[in-house]
Amino acid sequence: MASVTVAVELVDIRFTGWERLWIGRERLAVPVTAVRSVAVVADPLRLARGARRGMVVSGIVKIGVWGLLGGPRQLVAARRGELGLHIVLDRAAAGGQFDEVVLSDPAAPDIADAIGRASAAS
């Protein structure tokens, strides 16, 4: 499961070895100023849509990049039965690669609050 650290100016997401294989990166660091919105979702698997590069076990797990042929480009690491975090980004300010990040994390409410506080402070 990806780990999320929120600092005053940065949201740092680090992926596990298995996730790295499908996502193609060890981490994603996004400036807090690039976060447009953040929300806690009950079923993060439903958010991943469009053409993909990654792994899907239907109804169980989605890991990879979605939206390859159109729509928002999403970085996804989501599992069934866990709360999720849906982060909408300003793509240009976030480095130009992703419009959204969808993660499973049991601490999603705390992470969303921390991102909200960091956004308000900047």
Side-chain angles (χ1 to χ4, degrees), residues 38-110:
V38 60
V40 177
V41 293
D43 188 2
L45 290 175
R46 290 184 174 229
L47 295 176
R49 58 197 175 276
R52 69 179 184 274
R53 179 189 76 233
M55 179 186 76
V56 174
V57 178
S58 188
I60 307 291
V61 67
K62 292 181 178 179
I63 301 172
V65 178
W66 267 251
L68 296 177
L69 300 178
R73 177 72 54 100
Q74 299 173 306
L75 183 64
V76 179
R79 291 170 183 77
R80 176 180 67 186
E82 295 182 9
L83 282 176
L85 197 60
H86 183 210
I87 305 170
V88 178
L89 304 172
D90 175 335
R91 188 173 184 165
Q97 294 180 324
F98 303 105
D99 299 297
E100 300 178 5
V101 179
V102 179
L103 302 171
S104 288
D105 196 311
D110 296 332

